[in-house]
Amino acid sequence: MDAIEIRTCTDRDLEVLRTRWPSRADVHGSHHARQMEGAATYLVAWRGDEPLGVGMVQWGGCLGPEARAAFPGAVEINHVQVREEFRGQGVGTSLIGAAENLAVRQGRTQVAIAVNDENPEAARLYARLGYAPTGVLDVSEYDWTDDDGVVHHAIERDQLLVKELTTLALSTSD
């Protein structure tokens, strides 16, 4: 099996993502646009020419107001998603490691990840990778439309986890 490669999303990558892993409301496009503005880095995990997963590094800090107030110097990793058929293969771990390496290269020492109460698998992954609970909670409400055009209302409770980074976090493979 080919190795997992993590790289910053390019215009060409965006077209491949849109074709091979379509998203509602062109999420890939909006993440790429934030990257082009300089506000974030959109990372894509690949095996050969197959996109496996994605993740964002938010350079402006935590998105949730409570998290931002509690950890104003943190970089937030968010929107980490791994396609279902590639879960359990180290893709999420690779994406988070690449995001941490980027943060270290930018001189940042604190990284935050918000995890939804309804996502225990992600919470276990983040704990295994050294992210500690902070007790900070952000609640967000939003509407979203499913593939059949039905609008749903969602309320998310996200717990903030934080990890302190050192230059040792920088891998030699990047």
Side-chain angles (χ1 to χ4, degrees):
M1 186 176 293
D2 292 338
I4 298 169
E5 176 191 2
I6 309 294
R7 64 179 185 249
T8 301
C9 186
T10 65
D11 291 341
R12 182 185 174 288
D13 293 338
L14 180 59
E15 292 312 312
V16 173
L17 285 167
R18 286 174 167 156
T19 302
R20 298 229 178 113
W21 190 14
S23 60
R24 252 184 242 108
D26 192 25
V27 171
H28 299 301
S30 64
H31 289 340
H32 186 257
R34 284 206 34 90
Q35 175 178 279
M36 298 308 290
E37 295 165 0
T41 299
Y42 190 33
L43 297 172
V44 184
W46 299 89
R47 183 172 291 129
D49 61 355
E50 191 64 39
L52 311 175
V54 295
M56 294 282 285
V57 180
Q58 301 288 345
W59 297 111
C62 297
L63 299 183
E66 298 298 323
R68 181 182 288 279
F71 294 91
V75 170
E76 183 173 330
I77 299 171
N78 63 9
H79 298 288
V80 176
Q81 296 179 314
V82 177
R83 293 168 66 188
E84 191 169 343
E85 62 268 33
F86 301 113
R87 292 181 185 156
Q89 299 178 29
V91 178
T93 298
S94 295
L95 282 163
I96 292 166
E100 291 172 356
N101 288 340
L102 282 175
V104 168
R105 285 192 177 121
Q106 295 297 318
R108 307 299 284 271
T109 59
Q110 192 175 63
V111 180
I113 295 179
V115 63
N116 188 286
D117 284 348
E118 296 177 12
N119 196 347
E121 296 84 13
R124 282 191 293 276
L125 170 64
Y126 303 150
R128 184 174 55 78
L129 295 176
Y131 287 82
T134 64
V136 175
L137 173 71
D138 273 298
V139 178
S140 58
E141 290 191 53
Y142 58 91
D143 293 325
W144 63 277
T145 305
D146 67 22
D147 293 335
D148 296 324
V150 177
V151 176
H152 301 269
H153 185 75
I155 300 174
E156 285 188 14
R157 292 174 33 95
D158 294 321
Q159 300 287 337
L160 189 71
L161 310 174
V162 170
K163 181 176 181 179
E164 299 296 329
L165 301 177
T166 66
T167 54
L168 298 175
L170 191 61
S171 84
T172 57
S173 64
D174 237 2

